């Protein structure tokens, strides 16, 4: 989303509020407006980029052809957008760029880099219901302990399958993850043991617990676990609970308040993000987007 803002600035174009992916493994039907405060997004960026909620109907009806759709190569520099994308936009007036993850180079001018940061850390603000529940969970953790730790566990089935990692679940695990891997036709065969030795696999909950104890955290520490569906469920989480009994999740703390968000994994992740952001210590078992954005925030 933040890269889309920067690209609109590069092209001197109006940005339509981005559409989110509804076809991923998670089958999440959340739209931008369900997760982020769209009016704040538009007003905050007003001096940088013009943003509209949708292409005006009158304009769409006047077009001879439907909007042109194209996919930009990964990590394309600003020059690519000016040379390859801008001429099409000028000719067709409306252009849809699909699959827009990592489509802008990291090495860009400082002004554009600053806009990327403003978009990421200021223009994107969660909706009021998400904010309210996230802050409520932070308050509940604070009522139990002066200081608490948030642990982000990225150990969902799709993530393990995509990474080619293995967490010791025997033939059943190998079969299940192999079946999920078939979703990606271009994935190479991966040596799970080799990946773990190279540090490419996420730490298991047990390994996270051992690491925290080795760092000096006592077993009376209060921990909030931020995660989606952990592969293996409670059984996988049990070794961490044995090491740190004061373990809490949004499901434990929120009770009925969580019900409206349960069908939407993106909203659940947003709630986790708020609690992680409000913690005294943040720990992650992976080097993914959630961890990187929280590191930037903190």
């Amino acid at each position: 989303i933040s890269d889309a803002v920067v690209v609109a600035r590069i092209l001197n174009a109006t940005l339509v509020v981005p559409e989110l992916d509804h076809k991923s493994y998670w089958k999440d039907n959340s739209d931008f407006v369900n997760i982020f405060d769209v009016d704040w997004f538009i007003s905050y960026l007003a001096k940088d980029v013009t943003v509209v909620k949708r292409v005006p109907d009158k304009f769409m009806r006047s077009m001879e052809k439907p909007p042109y759709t194209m996919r930009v190569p990964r990590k394309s520099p600003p020059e690519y957008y000016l040379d390859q994308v801008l001429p099409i936009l000028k000719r067709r007036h409306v252009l849809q760029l699909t699959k827009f993850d990592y489509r802008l180079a990291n090495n860009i001018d400082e002004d554009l880099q600053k806009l990327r940061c403003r978009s990421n850390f200021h223009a994107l603000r969660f909706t009021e219901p998400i904010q309210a529940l996230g802050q409520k969970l932070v308050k509940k953790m604070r009522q139990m302990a002066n200081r608490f730790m948030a642990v982000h566990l990225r150990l969902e089935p799709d993530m393990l399958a995509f990474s080619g990692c293995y967490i010791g679940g025997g033939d059943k695990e190998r079969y299940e993850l192999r079946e999920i891997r078939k979703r990606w036709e271009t994935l190479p065969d991966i040596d799970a043991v080799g990946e773990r030795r190279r540090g490419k696999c996420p730490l298991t909950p047990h390994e996270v617990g051992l690491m925290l104890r080795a760092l000096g955290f006592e077993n009376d520490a209060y921990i909030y676990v931020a995660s989606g569906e952990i592969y293996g469920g409670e059984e996988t989480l049990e070794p961490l609970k044995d090491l740190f009994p004061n373990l809490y999740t949004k499901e434990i703390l929120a009770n009925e308040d969580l019900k409206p968000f349960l069908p939407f994994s993106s909203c659940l992740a947003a709630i986790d993000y708020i609690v992680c952001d409000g913690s005294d210590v943040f720990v992650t078992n992976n080097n993914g987007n959630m961890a990187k954005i929280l590191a930037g925030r903190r």
Side-chain angles (χ1 to χ4, degrees), residues 199-213:
K200 298 294 185 180
C201 291
L203 298 178
T204 66
H206 190 202
E207 289 167 336
V208 169
L210 293 175
M211 177 185 73
L212 294 175
R213 292 301 296 272

Side-chain angles (χ1 to χ4, degrees), residues 147-170:
R147 295 168 63 80
F148 77 93
M149 180 193 313
V151 175
H152 180 227
L153 289 179
R154 184 81 165 87
L155 210 70
E156 295 88 349
D158 71 310
M159 185 266 200
L160 277 178
F162 186 84
S163 67
C165 293
Y166 170 71
I167 61 170

Side-chain angles (χ1 to χ4, degrees), residues 94-298:
V94 178
L95 178 62
Q96 183 181 34
L97 302 179
T98 62
K99 189 70 177 173
F100 207 70
D101 55 332
Y102 302 105
R103 302 293 145 170
L104 179 63
N106 287 328
N107 186 19
I108 56 178
D109 290 345
E110 187 176 336
D111 283 347
L112 295 178
Q113 203 67 282
K114 286 179 179 178
L115 176 57
R116 187 186 242 160
C117 288
R118 288 199 300 279
S119 304
N120 209 21
F121 297 113
H122 298 284
L124 289 173
R125 186 165 74 179
F126 295 126
T127 61
E128 184 56 37
I130 289 174
Q131 289 271 19
L133 183 53
Q135 293 301 333
K136 186 176 181 179
L137 301 193
V138 172
K139 187 176 179 180
K140 282 192 173 186
M141 290 299 297
R142 291 250 174 262
Q143 287 170 344
M144 291 184 285
N146 279 336
R147 295 168 63 80
F148 77 93
M149 180 193 313
V151 175
H152 180 227
L153 289 179
R154 184 81 165 87
L155 210 70
E156 295 88 349
D158 71 310
M159 185 266 200
L160 277 178
F162 186 84
S163 67
C165 293
Y166 170 71
I167 61 170
D171 291 340
K172 179 175 179 289
E173 178 188 326
R174 289 191 179 93
Y175 171 77
E176 289 175 348
L177 297 185
R178 190 164 59 242
E179 288 300 299
I180 297 174
R181 277 179 70 81
K182 290 179 181 177
R183 290 180 59 252
W184 297 284
E185 296 176 0
T186 58
L187 282 185
D189 289 331
I190 295 175
D191 173 17
V193 175
E195 288 296 283
R196 181 163 287 279
R197 283 178 178 162
R198 287 193 293 275
K200 298 294 185 180
C201 291
L203 298 178
T204 66
H206 190 202
E207 289 167 336
V208 169
L210 293 175
M211 177 185 73
L212 294 175
R213 292 301 296 272
L215 287 170
F217 290 98
E218 303 291 341
N219 66 353
D220 61 352
Y222 278 74
I223 296 180
Y224 177 88
V225 174
S227 74
E229 173 200 359
I230 293 178
Y231 182 77
E234 288 297 312
E235 189 178 338
T236 304
L237 204 54
E238 202 60 42
L240 179 58
K241 281 185 178 178
D242 290 341
L243 289 164
F244 294 95
N246 299 318
L247 208 65
Y248 295 88
T249 62
K250 55 186 173 295
E251 290 79 8
I252 294 171
L253 296 173
N255 300 318
E256 293 296 307
D257 291 341
L258 202 61
K259 267 191 175 179
F261 304 103
L262 287 177
F264 309 108
S265 58
S266 295
C267 294
L268 295 174
I271 293 164
D272 274 340
Y273 178 94
I274 292 168
V275 184
C276 288
D277 190 39
S279 67
D280 297 286
V281 177
F282 175 66
V283 180
T284 181
N285 74 329
N286 69 96
N287 193 32
N289 290 333
M290 177 97 151
K292 289 174 180 174
I293 293 173
L294 273 159
R297 277 276 297 171
R298 296 170 77 94

